[in-house]
Amino acid sequence: MEQLDKILNKALQDSSPLDREELGFLLDITDPGQLQKLYRAAYQMKERYIGRRVSLRGLIEISDYCVKDCLYCGIRKSNANVPRFAMTKAEILQAAELGREYGYSSLVLQSGERSDPAFVDFVEDAVRSIREIGDFGITLSCGEQTRETYQRWFDAGAHRYLLRIESSDREFYGTLHPADSLHDWDKRRHCLDLIRETGYQLGTGVMSGLPGQKTSHLVSDLEFFREVDADMIGMGPYLPHHETPMGKLITSFDPEKALETGLKMIAVTRLFLRDVNIASTTALQALSPADGRERGLLAGANVIMPNIGDIAYRRGYQLYENKPNIDENRLETRRKLEESIHAIGETIIHGWGDSPHFAAKQK
Ligand code: SAH
Ligand code: SF4
């Protein structure tokens, strides 16, 4: 326990960042009492830099067509059993209107990866049209693109971009993806530079609990977030999907452990990076439908992205199995979420909820 107290005190009081050994120690905790201490310390850090506040963003999954074949992902190109869909612009605008009705002034548009001209034009037009109907903050999460595309989407009115590096370790990344030029770590890494240089608030992140992943990989991930100077972090536990090459090889999966690792990553990221936005992602909710995302908030996250896309499409957009809420009535979902946020003593922010880390750099 002494070692834990020493590390948490250093994280909370010192200006010098934790070192690899200390980060690894925190990520290896399994004792329930020690875990609670870790989450409480992370929450203290969140209170200091963010407050007891959570930003909600309406998530719109605009299409599940994807040119890539990431070995873990349910909507990978080679999965022929996925019903493919692409929302029309009118449907996206309808979802944005719904978001406005719900009081979400920030939206996230996410999709499978495509870089053909029709898709690039479509996203540009959709972003511009959303900005025409309201003062929305727009985050994009549409994969690897060229500098020109990132610029066009930025000029159309998007101002945050999420591109998870998935793993900061080039070699380990190689085990999660086909070995071809479409799935090249260096190219993905370079995209983070392009996104930052274009002027977006930069979001990245990883999956935790991947087969073969070690604590040292996760420690490197944390150091990577600092190195790329990320403004936002979106992380989640890996969830097996049986129609994927990786999912087929998984023989046992422990949801409790997956959730715990996901929560630890959130807590240690909060202690290590302090003032960034951290999402409490749907994957946590998938593992613990009753309170996964709320536990994420209590471990230091400050952003939740409720899905506001059309329910009819959600069966298609299954990155992993048992994705929550696909059948739930949206109003009901929202009411429950708001109640559970208030129940843990947090307030919902109604502005754009930009990253304090990004704001601090602009001064
Ligand atoms: N195509 C874009 C955005 C959509 S995928 C991209 O890849 O960047 C969004 C995220 O879903 C990915 O970054 C990945 O981290 C996550 N994801 C995919 N399959 C998953 C799985 N089986 N379990 C957990 N997360 C998964
Ligand atoms: Fe496509 Fe993203 Fe899934 Fe990879 S993770 S297959 S890029 S949707």
Side-chain angles (χ1 to χ4, degrees):
M1 203 53 117
E2 258 175 38
Q3 174 75 343
L4 175 62
D5 290 340
K6 219 172 94 201
I7 297 173
L8 294 180
N9 280 339
K10 174 175 170 187
L12 287 167
Q13 279 157 25
D14 253 20
S15 52
S16 61
L18 298 179
D19 62 28
R20 285 190 69 89
E21 203 183 318
E22 292 161 334
L23 294 170
F25 181 92
L26 296 180
L27 291 174
D28 280 339
I29 293 175
T30 53
D31 172 76
Q34 294 204 348
L35 284 172
Q36 286 316 312
K37 254 193 171 174
L38 168 65
Y39 301 150
R40 271 203 302 275
Y43 199 79
Q44 228 176 304
M45 190 68 95
K46 171 167 118 175
E47 283 184 298
R48 194 185 299 169
Y49 284 92
I50 312 273
R52 299 182 71 140
R53 307 188 318 163
V54 53
S55 293
L56 300 184
R57 322 222 183 283
L59 173 64
I60 311 175
E61 292 159 335
I62 61 173
S63 166
D64 67 351
Y65 285 97
C66 187
V67 296
K68 292 176 88 174
D69 245 340
C70 306
L71 301 179
Y72 42 82
C73 179
I75 64 170
R76 62 199 300 273
K77 182 177 175 221
S78 300
N79 185 0
N81 295 328
V82 181
R84 303 286 168 173
F85 73 89
M87 287 174 84
T88 63
K89 187 171 98 177
E91 289 165 341
I92 294 173
L93 291 177
Q94 229 177 341
E97 290 286 4
L98 186 74
R100 193 208 327 253
E101 215 177 285
Y102 287 178
Y104 304 155
S105 45
S106 265
L107 303 174
V108 181
L109 269 51
Q110 192 176 68
S111 70
E113 191 171 304
R114 278 175 58 189
S115 53
D116 55 283
F119 180 73
V120 173
D121 291 351
F122 179 82
V123 173
E124 181 183 32
D125 186 34
V127 170
R128 187 160 286 133
S129 303
I130 292 173
R131 292 302 303 265
E132 277 164 12
I133 64 163
D135 187 29
F136 289 106
I138 300 182
T139 307
L140 290 177
S141 177
C142 303
E144 293 167 38
Q145 303 292 342
T146 61
R147 185 189 291 275
E148 193 212 351
T149 297
Y150 287 135
Q151 186 70 53
R152 281 175 57 191
W153 292 351
F154 185 79
D155 293 342
H159 78 302
R160 296 189 278 239
Y161 204 101
L162 294 172
L163 184 76
R164 291 185 179 178
I165 192 70
E166 314 299 358
S167 170
S168 62
D169 185 302
R170 191 189 279 102
E171 217 173 293
F172 184 58
Y173 183 92
T175 69
L176 314 174
H177 298 92
D180 59 26
S181 59
L182 200 56
H183 302 84
D184 179 36
W185 187 90
D186 289 284
K187 188 165 150 259
R188 200 164 178 88
R189 168 71 189 83
H190 180 59
C191 283
L192 295 179
D193 289 337
L194 298 181
I195 291 165
R196 142 104 47 248
E197 285 160 21
T198 307
Y200 290 96
Q201 292 176 41
L202 174 68
T204 191
V206 296
M207 281 173 285
S208 57
L210 288 158
Q213 191 176 44
K214 302 191 173 73
T215 301
S216 61
H217 290 127
L218 294 174
V219 169
S220 300
D221 293 341
L222 293 163
E223 291 188 317
F224 178 88
F225 300 159
R226 183 178 276 271
E227 183 191 311
V228 299
D229 198 18
D231 303 302
M232 324 178 282
I233 303 293
M235 292 175 297
Y238 160 66
L239 301 171
H241 188 297
H242 81 275
E243 281 163 342
T244 61
M246 189 182 286
K248 282 194 174 90
L249 296 175
I250 304 270
T251 47
S252 69
F253 178 73
D254 180 349
E256 261 312 304
K257 181 151 187 294
L259 181 64
E260 188 178 291
T261 309
L263 294 173
K264 280 193 285 190
M265 274 300 275
I266 289 177
V268 183
T269 301
R270 174 61 69 205
L271 289 171
F272 193 50
L273 300 184
R274 299 177 171 214
D275 59 354
V276 295
N277 274 350
I278 303 178
S280 188
T281 53
T282 319
L284 294 173
Q285 192 193 4
L287 288 169
S288 181
D291 63 355
R293 287 189 301 195
E294 293 73 12
R295 285 168 74 181
L297 296 179
L298 291 171
N302 68 310
V303 174
I304 289 187
M305 302 187 279
N307 200 322
I308 55 166
D310 197 310
I311 286 177
Y313 286 134
R314 273 189 233 163
R315 291 208 176 277
Y317 203 92
Q318 296 275 300
L319 303 169
Y320 40 82
E321 283 151 346
N322 305 321
K323 214 172 146 206
N325 280 340
I326 56 172
D327 290 322
E328 257 186 303
N329 171 288
R330 284 177 295 208
L331 196 69
E332 183 63 11
T333 312
R334 172 173 146 261
R335 196 184 52 73
K336 273 195 216 144
L337 177 65
E338 288 183 0
E339 266 176 25
S340 62
I341 289 171
H342 294 142
I344 60 169
E346 298 214 338
T347 321
I348 296 170
I349 306 184
H350 288 286
W352 281 14
D354 283 332
S355 161
H357 184 73
F358 186 81
K361 282 187 284 189
Q362 308 307 303
K363 282 180 192 147

